[in-house]
Amino acid sequence: MSDNKVILNYDGKSFEYPIVDSTIGDRGIDISKLRDQTGLITLDLGYKNTGATISEITYLDGDKGELLYRGYPIEQIAEKSNFTEVMYLLLHGELPKAEQFNSFENNIKKYNFVADELKKLIDVFPRSAHPMGVLSSLTSALTAFNPKAVDVKSKEELDYASELMIAKFSHLCAWTYRKTQGLPINHGDNSLNYVENFYKMAFKLPNQEFVMDPVVVAALDKLLILHADHEQNCSTSTVRMVGSAHTGLFASISSGVSALWGPLHGGANQAVIEMLELIEKDGGDVNKWVEKAKDKNDSFRLMGFGHRVYKNFDPRAKIIKKAADDILGKLGIQDKALDIAMQLEKVALEDEYFIERKLYPNVDFYSGIIYRALGIPTEMFTVMFALGRLPGWIAQWREMRLKGDPIGRPRQIYQGATERDYLDIKSR
Ligand code: CMC
């Protein structure tokens, strides 16, 4: 290997592959000519070493526990910014000036309602339906109400589709919650900001004045900021992959919602609380559950622990842990689940198994505790994650289309049957 290329010796020949530079973090080997030149492909299950794209949106350093949105450290953003500003930053690459912020917010408010026909769709779901399934379906259905394909060459169209999606998606998230509660569904209130508007749409009771609790709004804002983007994670890669076929924005986002639902991804925040409740019901012996997580014959894993990229700590978990302490303190809530979480964290962090494998609490370990303190039901946690991740999905979709990334189409190494003749059913 020299500084700017890698040399591969194979089958008596030598091949050179250029190194692709980064501003910070991983550099890559450009192997786009590998198959043509050598007849070989690479195999990297779970894409642990594969760069799927070149991006300028989010950077994370798993060893240092560092996360930057467009270059800004998450710690500064979480303390000083707000979710609407973060959405703008992710989409447009820079923090907005005052007039840009106002125009962005006003545009979102223009679309702060959802076509009434969509209410009929939500009616047909049983109340017991998981909100993530409902959310994915409704997001896909939005396409029917906004059928125009986005011309990505037009900045106006791209911005319009993004702002439309941001406005409508908060309704769908609120509506999925109201569906589970049997509450009538409602439209937005333009006197409120994005997070307040969502909070009211989701939680206003039909028989009471709505009281806007600033502690809850601040907590929701912070949680949404912390979830806003995380480079090429499973759901974002899904959105990019679907969009790479030039599928529309709304349908691509709908597939991201489905990917996020999984318990190894966004669904972990629900799984964490269910696990803490289970441990509590079982008598609260955290050592027993840590042993179960270490046992290779037991499928149980400590939910909220471990991360594909963070091998030091998850910077979002640090911020969220502090926020969880503050919020529970402010709301005067004693939560047994939080006590168990603290014990579990202590035992696991001192255990060789977790130390060796660099398994630390991730963002989902604490977010569920805050959601629970805010009175949000467990099944809604992943919907909250989706609402936060939306600007990241949109920003990544835009970047992929604007850069003209080709359709995503991996290869495979085939190890199935070789060619054989079809046998009639009686002869098998
Ligand atoms: N509990 C017990 N053992 C674990 C855990 C866990 N939570 N996570 C990883 N391990 C072990 C795993 O068994 C393996 O051990 P060995 O080397 O002996 O076979 C080793 O650690 C490496 O695990 P891996 O599954 O190869 O690592 P990965 O990078 O493929 O998976 C992960 C990352 C997040 C899917 C995994 O750590 C996990 O399943 N965690 C629990 C679910 C969770 O909290 N997910 C939320 C992730 S953060 C938010 C988000 O992305 O949405």
Side-chain angles (χ1 to χ4, degrees):
M1 182 177 142
S2 80
D3 253 351
N4 55 4
K5 60 180 183 257
V6 163
I7 298 167
L8 174 73
N9 292 315
Y10 171 69
D11 209 15
K13 289 187 206 120
S14 179
F15 304 93
E16 287 185 0
Y17 297 100
I19 299 276
V20 181
D21 267 327
S22 61
T23 47
I24 28 172
D26 294 333
R27 301 162 79 212
I29 310 167
D30 176 352
I31 53 149
S32 46
K33 297 208 168 71
L34 178 72
R35 186 171 176 276
D36 282 349
Q37 293 179 339
T38 65
L40 294 173
I41 60 166
T42 55
L43 179 65
D44 184 23
L45 298 184
Y47 309 117
K48 291 190 181 193
N49 307 281
T50 297
T53 192
I54 297 175
S55 182
E56 294 164 27
I57 302 173
T58 293
Y59 172 73
L60 66 97
D61 182 325
D63 296 319
K64 285 202 216 146
E66 184 181 35
L67 172 61
L68 310 176
Y69 288 168
R70 299 282 191 183
Y72 297 101
I74 190 66
E75 292 78 8
Q76 290 182 28
I77 293 278
E79 191 194 327
K80 299 183 180 159
S81 188
N82 59 70
F83 186 57
T84 303
E85 184 171 77
V86 169
M87 291 198 279
Y88 184 98
L89 172 68
L90 290 171
L91 293 182
H92 298 290
E94 296 296 336
L95 287 168
K97 295 187 189 348
E99 66 273 18
Q100 290 170 320
F101 180 89
N102 291 339
S103 138
F104 180 62
E105 192 173 47
N106 287 337
N107 283 348
I108 294 170
K109 286 183 178 179
K110 263 194 239 156
Y111 318 124
N112 196 13
F113 63 91
V114 172
D116 238 35
E117 293 99 310
L118 220 82
K119 287 185 177 167
K120 289 185 198 142
L121 272 186
I122 202 161
D123 273 349
V124 300
F125 285 99
R127 210 162 134 179
S128 59
H130 194 287
M132 285 298 277
V134 179
L135 182 62
S136 171
S137 310
L138 292 181
T139 308
S140 206
L142 266 186
T143 313
F145 297 93
N146 304 280
K148 205 163 161 293
V150 185
D151 174 4
V152 294
K153 291 199 189 94
S154 150
K155 180 162 164 31
E156 285 72 39
E157 276 202 30
L158 203 51
D159 287 350
Y160 165 74
S162 308
E163 288 154 1
L164 197 76
M165 182 77 229
I166 288 170
K168 312 286 184 197
F169 195 70
S170 67
H171 286 69
L172 304 187
C173 291
W175 287 8
T176 58
Y177 169 70
R178 296 185 78 83
K179 173 78 194 180
T180 62
Q181 306 300 302
L183 291 168
I185 51 185
N186 46 18
H187 297 281
D189 175 346
N190 273 354
S191 66
L192 304 172
N193 72 31
Y194 189 75
V195 177
E196 291 168 339
N197 181 49
F198 164 76
Y199 174 38
K200 183 174 172 192
M201 272 195 298
F203 298 110
K204 184 187 180 325
L205 293 175
N207 55 349
Q208 279 176 27
E209 262 313 292
F210 183 75
V211 182
M212 190 69 67
D213 183 338
V215 175
V216 178
V217 174
L220 287 178
D221 202 280
K222 191 169 292 215
L223 283 162
L224 295 174
I225 289 175
L226 292 176
H227 285 101
D229 195 42
H230 215 226
E231 50 119 307
Q232 307 310 316
N233 57 84
C234 177
S235 56
T236 301
S237 301
T238 304
V239 169
R240 289 185 85 122
M241 173 70 98
V242 173
S244 77
H246 293 193
T247 304
L249 177 65
F250 294 5
S252 303
I253 299 290
S254 161
S255 65
V257 173
S258 299
L260 188 73
W261 190 0
L264 298 189
H265 190 12
N269 56 13
Q270 173 176 343
V272 168
I273 289 292
E274 286 166 356
M275 172 188 78
L276 296 174
E277 285 172 351
L278 191 69
I279 298 177
E280 187 189 343
K281 250 195 225 145
D282 188 55
D285 178 358
V286 294
N287 288 298
K288 171 180 159 187
W289 290 86
V290 168
E291 287 311 311
K292 267 170 80 61
K294 288 157 57 178
D295 181 355
K296 293 291 170 205
N297 297 316
D298 190 325
S299 62
F300 175 75
R301 278 189 167 198
L302 270 196
M303 299 315 283
F305 267 78
H307 195 274
R308 169 59 61 80
V309 185
Y310 292 124
K311 299 299 175 194
N312 181 334
F313 65 91
D314 180 338
R316 303 166 302 169
K318 244 189 177 175
I319 300 170
I320 256 183
K321 184 182 180 186
K322 188 174 170 315
D325 288 342
D326 288 354
I327 288 152
L328 266 66
K330 275 189 195 148
L331 298 176
I333 293 174
Q334 293 284 341
D335 191 338
K336 191 84 182 73
L338 183 62
D339 293 345
I340 292 186
M342 296 301 157
Q343 290 173 44
L344 203 56
E345 182 192 293
K346 189 167 182 308
V347 174
L349 289 183
E350 288 168 0
D351 191 293
E352 237 354 87
Y353 174 98
F354 289 86
I355 296 169
E356 244 174 44
R357 289 169 181 75
K358 300 185 173 168
L359 301 170
Y360 295 86
N362 57 49
V363 68
D364 289 330
F365 192 64
Y366 302 105
S367 61
I369 290 169
I370 305 188
Y371 290 137
R372 205 157 96 129
L374 303 182
I376 300 176
T378 320
E379 284 205 327
M380 269 298 286
F381 293 178
T382 318
V383 172
M384 299 304 302
F385 191 155
L387 184 61
R389 184 53 53 87
L390 179 72
W393 287 333
I394 301 176
Q396 301 268 354
W397 188 95
R398 287 167 63 116
E399 182 179 73
M400 181 263 311
R401 290 297 312 275
L402 288 173
K403 286 195 172 175
D405 282 4
I407 184 168
R409 197 335 185 155
R411 297 248 173 201
Q412 63 167 10
I413 294 188
Y414 178 71
Q415 294 186 342
T418 51
E419 186 175 332
R420 49 187 170 163
D421 286 328
Y422 178 84
L423 284 182
D424 185 79
I425 196 160
K426 290 190 210 106
S427 329
R428 286 175 209 162

